[in-house]
Amino acid sequence: MSSHAKYSVLLPTFNERPNLPVLVWLLHRTFTENNLDWELIIVDDASPDGTLQIAQQLQKLYTPRRIVLKPRTGKLGLGTAYVHGLKYATGNFVVIMDADFSHHPKFLPRMIETQKEGDYDIVTGTRYAGSGGVYGWDLKRKVISRGANLFADTVLRPGVSDLTGSFRLYKREVLEKVIASTTSKGYTFQMELMVRAKGMGYNVAEVPISFVDRVYGESKLGQEEIVEYAKGVMTLWLNV
């Protein structure tokens, strides 16, 4: 591996117009203050609120070297958004995160330092270990999330505390290999990535994070996604 580390952030977006400018500014500040090379790959799925137009303005401000735009023609699924964005990543490390401020860039330096300390293949943010936590959710949402993790942990025994978390740092070659074996497209995608990575023998570290409910916009999690998740757990149990 090259001694020069570059971090490619994959950011799928759908109706994130109010959040995107501040998130990009925070990413720029975080990487710059820590003297880290980086790029942000935005995969917008034809957001009707003008997210792509905001991203184009941000690209002019921060330069195409830092902001790479790879939009798609429709809402095609979270998993395929990561697959699409990864094709254009030039870094030897890849960060995946949400665009709604539930994942604050301030945790990235600790995730990166943890990776360096143990040469880990994957570092995942966790809401359910150490000082990690969830803020802004009502009791129902907390019970659903915690129950989903407990269900998956009981059935799959992956050895991580937050299987449904989606704030992660990967060695690029590891993500490429794991993603090639992954079949999920939606909300079970993150879970399958981790289960398959553990099954392939990759080493994983956890960093506690504070997960905050989205600042602007509405949650995209509904009953259909919950059913999809349960089916995904059982499919993995049968096949992995």
Side-chain angles (χ1 to χ4, degrees):
M1 181 185 294
S2 171
S3 60
H4 174 73
K6 181 177 181 179
Y7 298 88
S8 299
V9 181
L10 303 186
L11 195 72
T13 60
F14 186 78
N15 287 348
E16 300 291 357
R17 178 189 176 102
N19 296 320
L20 195 58
V22 180
L23 180 61
V24 173
W25 176 77
L26 286 170
L27 285 167
H28 175 265
R29 186 182 71 173
T30 299
F31 283 116
T32 301
E33 288 180 349
N34 289 275
N35 297 312
L36 298 168
D37 194 8
W38 66 286
E39 65 182 357
L40 173 64
I41 301 169
I42 299 174
V43 181
D44 186 69
D45 276 3
S47 298
D49 73 342
T51 297
L52 180 58
Q53 287 69 38
I54 293 297
Q56 290 168 338
Q57 295 177 34
L58 292 168
Q59 186 182 56
K60 292 178 182 178
L61 178 63
Y62 291 99
T63 77
R65 177 172 175 264
R66 296 297 186 199
I67 309 297
V68 180
L69 306 181
K70 295 298 176 182
R72 303 192 294 176
T73 56
K75 197 173 181 182
L76 303 174
L78 183 64
T80 58
Y82 287 125
V83 173
H84 180 70
L86 184 60
K87 292 188 294 186
Y88 304 98
T90 62
N92 44 7
F93 293 92
V94 177
V95 174
I96 60 175
M97 64 186 300
D98 293 343
D100 60 5
F101 288 115
S102 56
H103 302 144
H104 199 292
K106 69 181 180 181
F107 295 107
L108 282 172
R110 182 57 188 149
M111 294 172 73
I112 290 169
E113 187 60 32
T114 297
Q115 190 283 322
K116 292 179 179 178
E117 289 171 355
D119 192 29
Y120 289 102
D121 298 309
I122 305 168
V123 177
T124 183
T126 176
R127 299 163 288 181
Y128 302 124
S131 58
V134 177
Y135 302 90
W137 279 0
D138 58 21
L139 180 59
K140 178 182 177 181
R141 188 73 186 273
K142 288 181 178 180
V143 169
I144 290 173
S145 175
R146 194 64 170 137
N149 273 281
L150 289 172
F151 173 56
D153 184 64
T154 301
V155 174
L156 301 172
R157 300 191 180 279
V160 294
S161 62
D162 193 352
L163 193 57
T164 59
S166 53
F167 192 8
R168 295 177 185 164
L169 168 65
Y170 289 85
K171 290 181 179 178
R172 177 181 173 155
E173 66 271 21
V174 170
L175 181 57
E176 287 175 335
K177 290 176 182 177
V178 175
I179 214 168
S181 67
T182 302
T183 59
S184 301
K185 306 300 181 186
Y187 284 87
T188 58
F189 180 77
Q190 304 288 5
M191 174 182 63
E192 184 175 354
L193 276 182
M194 184 58 70
V195 171
R196 291 195 181 276
K198 294 286 285 187
M200 295 165 75
Y202 292 119
N203 57 344
V204 180
E206 294 187 310
V207 169
I209 63 166
S210 299
F211 178 96
V212 180
D213 195 19
R214 63 167 43 251
V215 177
Y216 298 107
E218 297 179 356
S219 171
K220 302 173 182 70
L221 179 67
Q223 187 173 349
E224 289 183 6
E225 285 74 25
I226 295 171
V227 173
E228 175 194 342
Y229 175 82
K231 289 180 179 178
V233 171
M234 299 311 298
T235 299
L236 284 173
W237 179 71
L238 291 170
N239 295 321
V240 177

